[in-house]
Amino acid sequence: MSVCFDIDGHLARVTIDRPERMNAVDAETERALEAIWQKIEKDERIRCVVLTGAGERAFSAGADLKSGSGFSGLEYWARQNPNGFGGIALRESLAVPVIARVNGLALGGGLEMVLGCDIVIAADTARFGLPEAKVGRLPLDGGMVALQRLVPRNIAAGLMLTGRMMSAAEAAACGLANAVVPAEALDAEVDAWVADILACAPLSTKAIKATLRKTAHLSPREARALQTPELTAALLSEDQDEGVRAFREKRAPVWQGK
């Protein structure tokens, strides 16, 4: 399998397992990732996902150019996955938080997958870039449209128009990465973020993610008034009463997800 998928309690780990190819994504890997995201969306046990690449060199170097799709650039654009690169870059149907564990290079589609995550934890050796223009391509699967919505426009333009790479420290400085740690501390840092997410009410995290994803184009007043199914479920949940009760009783809440 080109992608490893493991579930441990409420946590799912998705690992692109092609270290010999810098975890580049070929057609088989793309299909495997899409199938995994669909499984996660149907599994109520899962409350958090960690996405990463195998080994220490790369999160993902993006599309595997050596595999060759046989399509022209225009044909590729016309056939593109509506969910973006790796099925995650532009995905709107995944309700649970996704953490990008960036252990090395995140280039092209690799960066596009990072852009589809909600929290980004990077090793200090990680590098980010959208070098498509250097090989006559375009960051079609999310990069051109998502990056400028997450970082200042000129930062996004600089990366895409030059093909340069951004360091982990630079990514943190412009708001792309939530945390940057030494490589040997990466797993501990990711685990700490996972623990904090799992300590929160699952319906609350779903409602927050839905609001973040669905209201960025609206004014604050319009966004506040938007009634998503996730928001309604959280406001009508038993967990909201449990949270207040646990606070008053000075104990950890026991979330039921309902």
Side-chain angles (χ1 to χ4, degrees), residues 106-149:
L107 303 178
L111 177 51
E112 289 175 323
M113 288 190 289
V114 169
L115 298 176
C117 296
D118 305 292
I119 294 170
V120 179
I121 312 300
D124 56 8
T125 54
R127 297 290 183 272
F128 303 82
L130 291 170
E132 282 85 349
K134 285 191 170 184
V135 292
R137 299 294 182 91
L138 297 169
L140 292 171
D141 285 323
M144 279 197 297
V145 296
L147 184 60
Q148 64 173 311
R149 287 166 168 78

Side-chain angles (χ1 to χ4, degrees), residues 1-90:
M1 291 294 292
S2 57
V3 184
C4 296
F5 177 44
D6 299 298
I7 301 175
D8 182 9
H10 296 297
L11 173 66
R13 294 186 183 273
V14 180
T15 305
I16 302 172
D17 191 17
R18 305 183 76 216
E20 74 287 352
R21 300 288 304 131
M22 301 287 282
N23 297 316
V25 175
D26 60 4
E28 178 188 353
T29 306
E30 181 86 11
R31 288 192 294 269
L33 284 166
E34 177 61 35
I36 287 169
W37 300 127
Q38 291 182 23
K39 288 180 182 178
I40 290 173
E41 289 172 349
K42 296 174 183 177
D43 195 331
E44 292 296 327
R45 296 173 299 167
I46 299 172
R47 292 169 45 197
C48 182
V49 181
V50 173
L51 173 64
T52 193
E56 301 178 354
R57 298 174 60 200
F59 173 83
S60 173
D64 190 343
L65 297 182
K66 290 186 178 181
S67 68
S69 66
F71 299 120
S72 69
L74 185 59
E75 289 170 334
Y76 182 85
W77 178 81
R79 297 170 61 95
Q80 61 191 324
N81 186 336
N83 291 315
F85 196 89
I88 187 67
L90 298 173

Side-chain angles (χ1 to χ4, degrees), residues 183-219:
E184 61 271 19
L186 182 59
D187 286 330
E189 183 70 14
V190 170
D191 289 346
W193 284 79
V194 169
D196 284 343
I197 289 172
L198 295 183
C200 294
L203 293 181
S204 292
T205 59
K206 287 182 178 180
I208 291 167
K209 175 166 179 171
T211 298
L212 287 170
R213 294 279 175 162
K214 297 176 181 179
T215 64
H217 63 294
L218 302 176
S219 71

